C-alpha cells in the first residue's frame, strides 16, 4: 500500500469544513476524477471514478466518525484504499484539514503514476478545490451529525 498525507488550512470554522465533508455526494464538485459518490446508508458509499484513464468502482465503509473531528473509512470491494480525515480548530474562522490516504495501485500505469506522485498531486489539488468550494460558499451544503464508533460500527444518530 502507498500512503499519501496532505493538509490544508481553510478560512471557515472547523465545524463548517466537517459539515461539508459529510456531504459525500458533493465530492465530484471538487474531486478530480470522481464521477459519482452514492451514499447507500449511514456507513456505506459507492464510488465511481476514472483512474489512469480507466473507470473504477468500489464500495467503502465508514469505520469511525466523530462529529466535527474525524472520519475514517476503508474499501470493502473494488479498488483497495483506506484513510482518515481530521478537522482541527485553529481560530474561530480558520481550520486545518488533514487527510491520510492508503491505497494500492493496480497495474503498470497506476504503479508508474504512483512512482511519480500523480495521485499525491491529485489529492493536493482536491484539497485546494475543497478550500475554494467551501470558502466561496461560506457555509456547508448540509451536515450529518451522526457518530460511528470504531470497532462496533454502531451508528448513533443525533436527536434534533
Amino acid at each position: 500500500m502507498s500512503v499519501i498525507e496532505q493538509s490544508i488550512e481553510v478560512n471557515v470554522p472547523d465545524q463548517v469544513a466537517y459539515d461539508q465533508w459529510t456531504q459525500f455526494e458533493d465530492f465530484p464538485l471538487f474531486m478530480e476524477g470522481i464521477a459519482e459518490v452514492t451514499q447507500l446508508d449511514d456507513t456505506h458509499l459507492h464510488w465511481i471514478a476514472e483512474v489512469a484513464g480507466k473507470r473504477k468502482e468500489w464500495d467503502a465503509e465508514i469505520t469511525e466518525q466523530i462529529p466535527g473531528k474525524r472520519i475514517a473509512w476503508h474499501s470493502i470491494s473494488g479498488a483497495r484504499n483506506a484513510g482518515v480525515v481530521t478537522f482541527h480548530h485553529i481560530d474561530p474562522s480558520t481550520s486545518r484539514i488533514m487527510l491520510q490516504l492508503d491505497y494500492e495501485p493496480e497495474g503498470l500505469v497506476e504503479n508508474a503514476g504512483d512512482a511519480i506522485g500523480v495521485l499525491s498531486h491529485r489529492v493536493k489539488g482536491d484539497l485546494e478545490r475543497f478550500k475554494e468550494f467551501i470558502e466561496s460558499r461560506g457555509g456547508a451544503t448540509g451536515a450529518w451529525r451522526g457518530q460511528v464508533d470504531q470497532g462496533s460500527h454502531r451508528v448513533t444518530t443525533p436527536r434534533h
Side-chain angles (χ1 to χ4, degrees):
M1 296 278 270
S2 294
V3 177
I4 295 172
E5 293 179 339
Q6 296 281 344
S7 66
I8 196 165
E9 282 188 16
V10 295
N11 296 317
V12 297
D14 52 322
Q15 194 62 58
V16 172
Y18 171 85
D19 288 348
Q20 184 60 54
W21 203 275
T22 67
Q23 302 307 292
F24 304 110
E25 293 184 352
D26 286 344
F27 280 11
L29 298 174
F30 55 84
M31 286 189 173
E32 181 182 351
I34 302 299
E36 183 178 337
V37 179
T38 305
Q39 185 150 10
L40 305 172
D41 60 29
D42 286 344
T43 59
H44 294 91
L45 306 166
H46 181 75
W47 292 73
I48 300 173
E50 185 162 315
V51 178
K54 293 183 179 177
R55 179 183 167 108
K56 298 257 182 173
E57 292 192 42
W58 68 94
D59 290 314
E61 177 179 45
I62 297 169
T63 56
E64 181 182 28
Q65 190 161 346
I66 302 169
K69 301 289 181 200
R70 174 184 175 92
I71 303 169
W73 72 91
H74 67 242
S75 61
I76 55 175
S77 71
R80 290 189 53 198
N81 65 84
V84 61
V85 60
T86 56
F87 303 85
H88 305 271
H89 175 87
I90 293 177
D91 64 40
S93 62
T94 311
S95 57
R96 175 176 296 277
I97 300 169
M98 300 182 76
L99 175 66
Q100 179 181 324
L101 175 65
D102 302 341
Y103 70 99
E104 188 169 301
E106 297 177 332
L108 182 62
V109 173
E110 286 184 36
N111 277 291
D114 181 50
I116 61 172
V118 171
L119 190 56
S120 181
H121 182 70
R122 180 179 277 189
V123 169
K124 184 177 194 294
D126 290 345
L127 286 175
E128 289 169 355
R129 283 183 294 278
F130 178 81
K131 174 182 173 69
E132 291 170 15
F133 179 82
I134 193 65
E135 288 178 358
S136 69
R137 294 187 55 80
T141 60
W144 189 75
R145 300 279 184 193
Q147 180 163 324
V148 179
D149 295 325
Q150 186 176 23
S152 70
H153 303 280
R154 184 175 57 86
V155 176
T156 307
T157 306
R159 294 191 176 130
H160 297 284

